[in-house]
Amino acid sequence: MTGATPSIAWETRRFADLDAATLYALLKLRSEVFVVEQQCVYLDPDGKDAHPDALHVIGRADDGGIAAYLRILPAGLSYPQASFGRVLTAPAHRGRGLGDPLVRVALAEIERHWPGSDVQIGAQAHLEHYYARHGFVRNSDTYLDDGIPHIDMLRAAGALK
């Protein structure tokens, strides 16, 4: 099924609404991708996951497993604007076109919860053109975050509607 676009069920939950099995699965997947695969030694559970306004966007495959994930944070928690991060596609689901729908769901959730909000992200530098397709514009110099080149990008409210 490599390359095929699986059926994905998108869900958005607050931390308090995550059951133990889902929380364990998403933290395990984040550790697999960011700590092990990308070799970034850092404390992934940073306290922001549990913020009452933080949102967790989960894409579930037909088997119920997590295929894609990201975390949305309200304005003032990481940036002055609403933001999203911890963006990932599970290794078994890569190459199937899940990134764009994941970002679209995130942007729709931000608009639903904080209408008219700008969105700021810290993106890996090599993804600048990818996020530009979603209306993001680079607004920082390149900097290292856990040894990986990153840039800040801003999407003005209403961009690409």
Side-chain angles (χ1 to χ4, degrees):
M1 187 160 154
T2 301
T5 303
S7 171
I8 298 296
W10 298 103
E11 59 188 63
T12 302
R13 297 190 193 178
R14 295 188 188 278
F15 184 81
D17 298 325
L18 294 170
D19 60 86
T22 298
L23 179 60
Y24 180 85
L26 73 86
L27 290 174
K28 180 178 184 284
L29 183 57
R30 285 180 7 187
S31 290
E32 287 173 5
V33 171
F34 301 122
V35 178
V36 177
E37 182 180 301
Q38 295 183 3
Q39 300 179 347
C40 297
V41 179
Y42 73 107
L43 184 60
D44 177 52
D46 57 6
K48 296 177 183 178
D49 291 310
H51 187 281
D53 291 327
L55 301 170
H56 301 271
V57 177
I58 302 166
R60 291 197 183 270
D62 290 335
D63 65 2
I66 298 174
Y69 168 85
L70 63 71
R71 174 178 78 177
I72 299 171
L73 300 175
L77 196 53
S78 283
Y79 295 99
Q81 305 84 1
S83 63
F84 64 80
R86 302 293 202 267
V87 180
L88 65 80
T89 300
H93 295 277
R94 290 185 184 149
R96 298 178 183 184
L98 298 182
D100 288 329
L102 176 61
V103 171
R104 286 193 296 271
V105 169
L107 294 172
E109 288 292 335
I110 290 169
E111 182 62 23
R112 186 165 76 85
H113 289 273
W114 305 288
S117 177
D118 293 343
V119 182
Q120 178 82 24
I121 61 172
Q124 291 185 11
H126 74 276
L127 296 172
E128 179 176 0
H129 297 292
Y130 171 79
Y131 286 112
R133 293 194 325 241
H134 293 278
F136 287 90
V137 177
R138 179 185 185 136
N139 67 338
S140 78
D141 291 333
T142 301
Y143 59 91
L144 290 179
D145 188 2
D146 293 311
I148 298 173
H150 278 70
I151 56 172
D152 288 339
M153 299 186 79
L154 180 68
R155 183 181 192 268
L160 294 180
K161 275 199 170 181

